[in-house]
Amino acid sequence: MILTVQLLLLLTLSLRTDGYNEYTVGECVFSAALTDVEFIVSYYFNKDPYVRFNSTVGEYVGYTEYGVKNAERLNKGPELQRIIGERDRYCTPNIQTFSSHILVKSVEPKIRLRSEKQASGDHPAMLMCSAYDFYPPAIDVYWLRNGQKVTGDVTSTGEMADGDWYYQIHSHLEYTPKSGEKISCVVEHTSFKKPIITDWDPSLSESDRNKIAIGASGLVLGIVLSAAGFIYYKKKSTGRILVPN
Ligand SMILES: *[C@@H]1O[C@H](CO)[C@@H](O)[C@H](O)[C@H]1NC(C)=O
């Protein structure tokens, strides 16, 4: 589980009327154990990054002609030494602050796995794995099919704010059921010590359970009414005196 915290916005120049936006984003990216800290500074023009410093790479890398030129210039000058030091100067103390103020307030998600659509004809089945009421928003929800991570046919809503500091997310898996396979939803969140794996039980989906419950109730009701009717009839008929005519 990787946490990304955008801890600073170095510079934003916006000229909205003409649709130009030049901005710089600094990020500290770190694992849930607060190790493997990476410091990233990206320079964007509109939505495209054109030059980026990544502390793991250790130098600036350009993505456009202008970006490459700037990366060369920055990598030669004293700027490079300064930015290399930013990981320890900037990220390390801020991650500590983040940890002691935000991560200690983490709240476990409630996980639900259900069938959204059953397979019919050539249409695949769909499962939905939901996590509700968790904090902070950083979360990983993914699927395992026979122990292998599923890469395709998965769509996710992304973390959605409930508006009360809690978040929810829904991941959908489309698949063609095969007998004997095992499908699981995995949720990783900073509130969990280890990933929570929920196995899909195809034999009893919730809607099936409801149908069975309704059917069984109807059957019981029918039996009770028939029995009552039968007893009533018996009582009536034994109480009657048959007079031959
Ligand atoms: C930084 O560089 C490392 C090594 O190339 C890479 O694994 C990592 O994904 C990069 N981080 C970002 C946020 O691009």
Side-chain angles (χ1 to χ4, degrees):
M1 151 112 264
I2 299 289
L3 299 166
T4 305
V5 180
Q6 293 193 355
L7 288 168
L8 85 167
L9 198 69
L10 293 170
L11 169 79
T12 303
L13 298 172
S14 296
L15 197 63
R16 292 250 169 84
T17 48
D18 288 323
Y20 298 129
N21 192 6
E22 154 78 37
Y23 57 103
T24 310
V25 178
E27 292 161 278
C28 300
V29 184
F30 50 99
S31 63
L34 309 187
T35 54
D36 308 319
V37 183
E38 207 166 63
F39 179 59
I40 315 282
V41 183
S42 311
Y43 290 74
Y44 289 87
F45 181 68
N46 288 341
K47 285 186 173 173
D48 299 320
Y50 60 89
V51 62
R52 175 175 285 154
F53 173 82
N54 176 337
S55 64
T56 307
V57 177
E59 59 177 20
Y60 285 92
V61 175
Y63 300 105
T64 64
E65 196 187 331
Y66 178 69
V68 168
K69 227 181 261 177
N70 273 282
E72 275 173 14
R73 180 178 61 79
L74 291 164
N75 286 336
K76 272 187 212 137
E79 166 61 15
L80 186 67
Q81 287 316 309
R82 189 194 69 80
I83 202 88
I84 285 173
E86 283 299 86
R87 191 186 76 138
D88 293 342
R89 188 199 70 81
Y90 182 76
C91 291
T92 307
N94 275 299
I95 287 170
Q96 286 307 323
T97 307
F98 177 78
S99 167
S100 56
H101 289 87
I102 306 287
L103 290 186
V104 291
K105 294 182 174 66
S106 67
V107 178
E108 281 185 14
K110 298 178 185 78
I111 300 163
R112 253 186 91 184
L113 178 54
R114 64 196 137 185
S115 164
E116 276 284 277
K117 216 167 56 191
Q118 302 211 323
S120 62
D122 347 314
H123 293 285
M126 189 189 276
L127 294 181
M128 178 162 81
C129 185
S130 304
Y132 295 98
D133 299 332
F134 57 88
Y135 185 85
I139 196 165
D140 283 339
V141 180
Y142 55 92
W143 298 86
L144 297 180
R145 198 170 188 172
N146 296 323
Q148 294 285 99
K149 188 165 177 173
V150 180
T151 48
D153 300 323
V154 176
T155 50
S156 172
T157 59
E159 300 91 347
M160 300 188 291
D162 289 348
D164 56 2
W165 286 78
Y166 295 113
Y167 287 79
Q168 59 178 287
I169 189 169
H170 308 274
S171 177
H172 297 90
L173 171 74
E174 271 201 316
Y175 73 112
T176 308
K178 291 196 191 78
S179 69
E181 73 181 344
K182 189 167 146 195
I183 291 179
S184 318
C185 168
V186 188
V187 178
E188 291 189 32
H189 188 253
T190 181
S191 60
F192 294 142
K193 290 232 162 16
K194 55 183 174 44
I196 300 296
I197 302 173
T198 311
D199 293 331
W200 172 242
D201 179 359
S203 59
L204 279 183
S205 71
E206 194 168 337
S207 68
D208 286 348
R209 267 203 300 272
N210 288 343
K211 281 178 204 151
I212 292 169
I214 292 168
S217 311
L219 186 64
V220 169
L221 196 64
I223 291 170
V224 168
L225 288 177
S226 312
F230 184 69
I231 292 166
Y232 180 73
Y233 166 77
K234 273 285 184 191
K235 279 229 164 116
K236 274 267 167 157
S237 56
T238 50
R240 202 164 20 169
I241 297 148
L242 293 173
V243 182
N245 49 359

